[in-house]
Amino acid sequence: MRYAIVTGASKGLGKEVAKLLLSHGIHVIGISRSTTLDLNANAAANEVTYQGIAYDLGNVEKLEELMETIVTDLINDDVSGLYLVNNAAVIEPIDQGVNISPASLAYHFQVNAVAPMALTNLCLQYANKKGIPMVGLTVTSGAAEKPMFGWTAYCSSKASINMYIKTIAKEQDDANHKIIAFSPGIMDTEMQEKIRSSEKSAFQAVDTFKAYQENNQLQQTEEIARIGVRIMLQDDAENGKIYYARDYL
């Protein structure tokens, strides 16, 4: 039996990824601040299970406890493979760095960087203990490679993810695991709505992002999810690689 843990599974890209994994006969455990019952029907149709957990990934102190609950209560002993999709992220605070409070900065990094790293580490520990292969995909962003006025937190957190993926993959190079990053590009999501509502004094490129919507340049989450899942499930996925959805469109 194969299992997948998907963060941010209640909506957007995470929900579409969860649907596709269920369609491949993979049991899915979704972690989101809010849960959804929509995926239960998808699971039943594919004779697998979907189990949702309401959890704020900003609470990194309890991640070990959360993972212990998952592996003890939600994953069967006959698990043969484990997938982790670190999709959950926040865009806020959108503002010049000089205006960002330490508390806001800390929460942002806890959700966008610390939680994905910690969950990957914990899943690797579990996979090594069970002697099963693990595939971890963390959603990154083009912002990791390009500084944007008003995105000091977001650009920095995603850049740290890219380096983490390359480093943890090097450490696991002799193991039967694949740890990769996936840059989905600009999608039609709630995050984009928040970006478009920004003040120009906080985010200089706001008009550019408004134009993406006006000119129908936003990719649909269903298509991007198909690309991400295809990369995850392919046998020749390259450990430590950052994959870009644009290369498959």
Side-chain angles (χ1 to χ4, degrees):
M1 300 176 70
R2 295 178 297 167
Y3 283 82
I5 300 170
V6 181
T7 69
S10 64
K11 56 189 176 183
L13 180 63
K15 187 173 182 179
E16 296 303 323
V17 167
K19 284 182 183 178
L20 286 169
L21 291 172
L22 291 167
S23 73
H24 282 277
I26 299 170
H27 300 270
V28 175
I29 298 161
I31 302 173
S32 304
R33 279 179 290 185
S34 59
T35 58
T36 178
L37 298 176
D38 297 357
L39 295 171
N40 291 340
N42 296 81
N46 291 284
E47 299 182 336
V48 288
T49 59
Y50 175 78
Q51 301 172 88
I53 300 175
Y55 188 86
D56 184 349
L57 291 170
N59 184 11
V60 295
E61 293 82 2
K62 295 289 184 70
L63 280 178
E64 285 182 294
E65 184 179 319
L66 173 68
M67 191 65 190
E68 183 61 30
T69 298
I70 289 173
V71 301
T72 302
D73 299 338
L74 304 183
I75 295 181
N76 285 0
D77 286 338
D78 59 351
V79 56
S80 59
L82 180 65
Y83 300 92
L84 171 66
V85 181
N86 285 310
N87 163 72
V90 294
I91 187 70
E92 302 93 340
I94 301 175
D95 204 347
Q96 298 180 47
V98 69
N99 297 326
I100 298 174
S101 71
S104 295
L105 188 63
Y107 181 80
H108 180 100
F109 267 82
Q110 285 169 349
V111 175
N112 284 18
V114 179
M117 294 179 191
L119 283 173
T120 302
N121 293 344
L122 291 167
C123 284
L124 284 167
Q125 290 173 17
Y126 174 74
N128 288 336
K129 180 180 177 181
K130 296 289 288 187
I132 60 174
M134 182 261 191
V135 177
L137 178 149
T138 299
V139 177
T140 184
S141 169
E145 302 163 4
K146 180 181 178 181
M148 300 281 287
F149 183 106
W151 277 8
T152 50
Y154 191 67
C155 290
S156 300
S157 64
K158 290 301 183 180
S160 69
I161 283 296
N162 284 9
M163 185 53 69
Y164 167 78
I165 293 297
K166 295 175 182 178
T167 305
I168 195 71
K170 185 179 291 290
E171 294 173 353
Q172 295 292 323
D173 211 29
D174 294 332
N176 191 24
H177 307 309
K178 300 290 179 67
I179 311 299
I180 61 177
F182 177 60
S183 185
I186 303 170
M187 299 176 290
D188 190 10
T189 61
E190 286 186 14
M191 183 179 285
Q192 285 295 314
E193 293 177 13
K194 293 176 182 178
I195 293 170
R196 292 193 298 270
S197 67
S198 304
E199 295 293 332
K200 196 164 187 176
S201 59
F203 182 54
Q204 285 186 342
V206 63
D207 291 338
T208 299
F209 280 76
K210 288 178 179 178
Y212 289 146
Q213 183 195 38
E214 293 165 0
N215 299 326
N216 296 316
Q217 292 177 282
L218 298 175
Q219 297 293 334
Q220 296 303 305
T221 53
E222 296 89 342
E223 176 61 24
I224 301 301
R226 278 192 287 271
I227 295 170
V229 169
R230 182 173 62 177
I231 292 169
M232 275 186 72
L233 299 183
Q234 66 187 23
D235 293 334
D236 59 349
E238 184 179 336
N239 192 31
K241 181 174 179 176
I242 299 172
Y243 286 88
Y244 298 86
R246 63 174 182 258
D247 294 334
Y248 298 82
L249 292 170

